[in-house]
């Protein structure tokens, strides 16, 4: 089912994951699957944190931003709900990932309990800049990431990233309406990027160590250039976003994900087009 509110579309997605998810769902590039899984582990804790911050001030916002903020929260709630279902299958009999997930839950829970509303909104805005940056990187590497991958797994991450592009401005606009301090934004950006990097490293190590690639140097070595290439997209965007006068609409949307979302059918979790009909990344 699809509904539209405040210029955003709520797609009621429920993907058909199996009883257990193989962490190395990308057989050709298992280290990329491990990195994507690591980010997925954080979603049920990071996204509710900044959704609560946005929802907490929504009633004070003027229209149309109020309705857009409510729609943003609905989209994000769908995201972390689907990631919760995916993660439950991913962590079956994998104590290393469960341990990392527990640390993430406590870390984001501590932020939620102790940080001010203004910092939390800055955290949300910076997190959305990171998510948009990852979406741009993923769009350029779509075939490496998802060719030959089980359809529901590929759909989960494509759908999530495509909606991050769709609502890229909302958390920024809410933060600007409530506070807008560039110094606070920069501090929050450093915090959210550090947490993302730290937990991604921990979860990737846990997955590599528990896999048949634990003694193979190739996946370990390939992780470094992948990490650098993502950093070259994400860090400059965060720096630019920390300056006065920046707005997320200044960023160019990734065309592949935008087109994919246009044809995505939430009821089936599929795109009713042949892969070859979609634009080349």
């Amino acid at each position: 089912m699809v509904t539209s509110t405040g210029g955003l579309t709520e797609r009621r997605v429920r993907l058909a994951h199996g009883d257990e998810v193989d962490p190395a769902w990308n057989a050709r590039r298992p280290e990329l699957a491990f990195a994507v899984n690591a980010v997925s582990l954080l979603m049920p804790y990071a996204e509710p944190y900044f959704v609560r911050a946005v929802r907490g001030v929504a009633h004070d916002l003027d229209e149309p931003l109020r309705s857009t903020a409510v729609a943003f929260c609905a989209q994000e709630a769908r995201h972390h709900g689907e990631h919760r279902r995916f993660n439950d299958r991913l962590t079956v009999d994998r104590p290393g990932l469960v341990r990392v997930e527990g640390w993430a839950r406590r870390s984001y829970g501590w932020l939620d309990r102790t940080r001010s509303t203004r910092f939390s909104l800055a955290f949300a805005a910076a997190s959305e800049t990171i998510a948009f940056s990852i979406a741009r990187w993923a769009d350029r590497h779509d075939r490496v990431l998802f060719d030959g991958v089980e359809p529901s797994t590929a759909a989960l991450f494509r759908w999530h990233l495509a909606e991050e592009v769709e609502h890229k401005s909302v958390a920024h606009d809410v933060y600007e309406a409530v506070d807008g301090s560039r110094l606070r934004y920069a501090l929050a950006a450093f915090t959210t990027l550090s947490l993302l990097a730290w937990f991604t490293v921990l979860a990737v190590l846990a997955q590599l160590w528990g896999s048949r690639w634990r003694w193979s140097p190739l996946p370990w070595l390939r992780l470094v250039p992948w990490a650098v290439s993502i950093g070259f997209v994400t860090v400059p965007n965060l720096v630019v976003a920390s300056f006065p006068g920046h707005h997320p609409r200044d960023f160019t949307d990734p065309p592949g994900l935008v087109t994919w979302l246009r044809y995505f059918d939430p009821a089936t979790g599929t795109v009713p087009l042949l892969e070859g009909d979609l634009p080349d990344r």
Side-chain angles (χ1 to χ4, degrees), residues 58-226:
H59 62 282
D60 294 325
L61 302 173
D62 295 330
E63 291 290 359
L65 182 55
R66 180 190 303 143
S67 295
T68 307
V70 170
F72 163 83
C73 292
Q75 281 193 344
E76 293 291 56
R78 290 283 172 189
H79 295 169
H80 67 72
E82 278 302 306
H83 280 282
R84 175 72 279 155
R85 295 179 61 240
F86 177 83
N87 295 347
D88 286 344
R89 291 156 175 79
L90 179 69
T91 56
V92 172
D93 297 326
R94 296 181 179 100
L97 287 181
V98 173
R99 192 173 301 115
V100 173
E101 189 178 24
W103 294 336
R105 180 178 63 251
R106 289 191 289 273
S107 297
Y108 288 101
W110 179 83
L111 286 171
D112 197 6
R113 293 190 306 273
T114 63
R115 300 302 91 187
S116 68
T117 297
R118 292 183 177 188
F119 178 88
S120 299
L121 290 172
F123 188 100
S127 297
E128 291 301 297
T129 297
I130 293 172
F132 175 80
S133 302
I134 292 173
R136 281 178 56 172
W137 183 91
D139 191 69
R140 296 172 192 168
H141 299 84
D142 183 89
R143 297 197 186 281
V144 176
L145 278 165
F146 299 123
D147 268 9
V149 171
E150 196 277 322
S152 66
T153 299
L156 170 63
F157 295 106
R158 281 175 171 151
W159 159 65
H160 187 168
L161 291 171
E163 288 196 343
E164 293 297 337
V165 174
E166 186 177 54
H167 65 226
K168 66 179 182 180
S169 300
V170 180
H172 173 276
D173 290 343
V174 172
Y175 177 59
E176 287 292 314
V178 173
D179 182 33
S181 164
R182 295 295 90 195
L183 180 60
R184 185 174 286 110
Y185 179 95
L187 177 60
F190 175 79
T191 303
T192 184
L193 185 61
S194 298
L195 285 171
L196 176 64
W198 174 243
F199 283 117
T200 298
V201 168
L202 290 179
V204 168
L205 290 176
Q207 291 171 93
L208 272 171
W209 192 250
S211 75
R212 62 188 177 90
W213 291 278
R214 66 191 298 182
W215 302 120
S216 173
L218 192 57
W220 296 86
L221 293 174
R222 284 195 303 226
L223 278 170
V224 176
W226 289 128

Side-chain angles (χ1 to χ4, degrees), residues 21-41:
V21 174
D22 180 4
W25 42 260
N26 185 330
R28 292 182 303 165
R29 291 289 187 273
E31 71 282 355
L32 281 181
F34 295 158
V36 173
N37 295 340
V39 176
S40 180
L41 284 180

